[in-house]
Amino acid sequence: MTTGRSDRRGFTLIELLISMVVGLVVLGASLAFATTTFRTIQGNQLRGDVQKAARFIGMSLERDLQSTGVGLASTPSFGSLAVWGDTIVILGVAYEPTESPPNDLKPPPGASNPLAPGGTCGANCLDLVYPGMTFDLAAGDVARLQVNDERRLIQVQGVTSGGGNAIVELTGATSLLNYQAGFSGGLLLDRFSTFVQKLSTVVYWVEDGKLMRAQGLRSDGSLDGTVMAYGVQEWTVTVTFRDGDQANRINPADTDFTNDFDDVVGLRVHAVLAADRPVQHVAGGSLFTRTYDWRFSPRNLMYERNRL
């Protein structure tokens, strides 16, 4: 009896080499595709993060600037929009939810006018009469002190109110947000034409490469801000006046009557924003940056211009 044996044969060396080469080519192509895809996604994410930060900044500025001058028309020496250096200050009358009312001064007994230097209930104290059932000023609030046509900022340190009267203690600061504050410069109160009104305050500035935004002041008068964006390499703010001129600050003290607070009609912000880290295959390995230029024309400032 004979037995059969199947013909068993493996790969030849040449076939094995060809298979390995083909496999390596496929693997190399897959790795190259994966690397390219990863780099593309990483680059797009890096650019997208910068663009997202810029969009957030632009929307925030546009929203806040629309409140510029709400209930607070500018005068030559005091405006609802101020800039200096990298700082933007936006002022308006507070709405919570209705417009904050003016609280008239309760003058001391007597007939003298103007009043003696200082406040009416102490060196930095005002005795006010408020309309309605409640007094809307509290410790920490920023308000305008209006004496005839003169305006000052004040910061409230403490309040005692009741029965339509309020005793308001001021911080004693002589300057707030680059404006004159309190009774600085020898301001004398007028017993018939003095009132205090709560303001809404928004401030933007750059600190150590971070864009900051504040809606209030600390008890020492410093800005109580939060971080809006990181990677701010440049931040230049200028205002536009009615005659088309631009400047990095408003100067009502000079002899040029076209660059006062009531001449401001717009704001320009030039910024350079950077990614949070350099990536070798983006921008040649340098830190990726993008330049932005925003221009704003707050409606209340435009209204003032048209009204004049």
Side-chain angles (χ1 to χ4, degrees), residues 157-168:
Q157 187 173 46
V159 172
T160 303
S161 63
N165 294 324
I167 295 176
V168 179

Side-chain angles (χ1 to χ4, degrees), residues 27-240:
L27 179 62
S30 300
L31 289 174
F33 176 76
T35 301
T36 301
T37 302
F38 173 75
R39 288 180 174 180
T40 300
I41 294 174
Q42 192 179 36
N44 289 340
Q45 183 178 6
L46 201 71
R47 297 181 184 93
D49 288 345
V50 174
Q51 181 62 28
K52 182 165 61 176
R55 185 165 58 250
F56 179 59
I57 293 170
M59 292 175 61
S60 180
L61 281 168
E62 183 175 15
R63 179 196 63 222
D64 287 334
L65 284 164
Q66 293 312 315
S67 67
T68 303
V70 171
L72 185 69
S74 298
T75 67
S77 59
F78 189 105
S80 55
L81 179 65
V83 301
W84 72 92
D86 57 17
T87 304
I88 304 170
V89 176
I90 302 165
L91 299 177
V93 174
Y95 272 75
E96 297 176 349
T98 58
E99 182 178 358
S100 177
N103 303 284
D104 291 327
L105 182 72
K106 180 181 180 182
S112 60
N113 198 48
L115 302 180
T120 54
C121 49
N124 291 295
C125 179
L126 292 172
D127 197 349
L128 304 176
V129 179
Y130 60 90
M133 300 297 295
T134 59
F135 186 61
D136 66 346
L137 281 168
D141 286 343
V142 173
R144 68 160 161 167
L145 168 63
Q146 180 103 16
V147 182
N148 294 313
D149 294 329
E150 183 73 21
R151 290 180 183 174
R152 301 292 173 86
L153 287 184
I154 59 173
Q155 185 180 9
V156 179
Q157 187 173 46
V159 172
T160 303
S161 63
N165 294 324
I167 295 176
V168 179
E169 295 283 348
L170 313 183
T171 60
T174 58
S175 177
L176 289 172
L177 302 176
N178 221 36
Y179 293 92
Q180 274 192 294
F183 312 125
S184 60
L187 178 68
L188 300 179
L189 301 178
D190 187 296
R191 65 170 55 244
F192 305 110
S193 300
T194 299
F195 68 85
V196 172
Q197 188 174 30
K198 183 177 178 179
L199 298 182
S200 66
T201 305
V202 180
V203 185
Y204 288 85
W205 77 102
V206 175
E207 185 177 292
D208 298 326
K210 301 185 293 289
L211 178 62
M212 308 293 294
R213 178 181 180 272
Q215 288 185 275
L217 302 177
R218 298 187 182 94
S219 58
D220 62 357
S222 61
L223 292 166
D224 186 13
T226 57
V227 179
M228 287 283 294
Y230 295 90
V232 181
Q233 292 193 337
E234 292 183 26
W235 182 266
T236 305
V237 293
T238 54
V239 290
T240 303

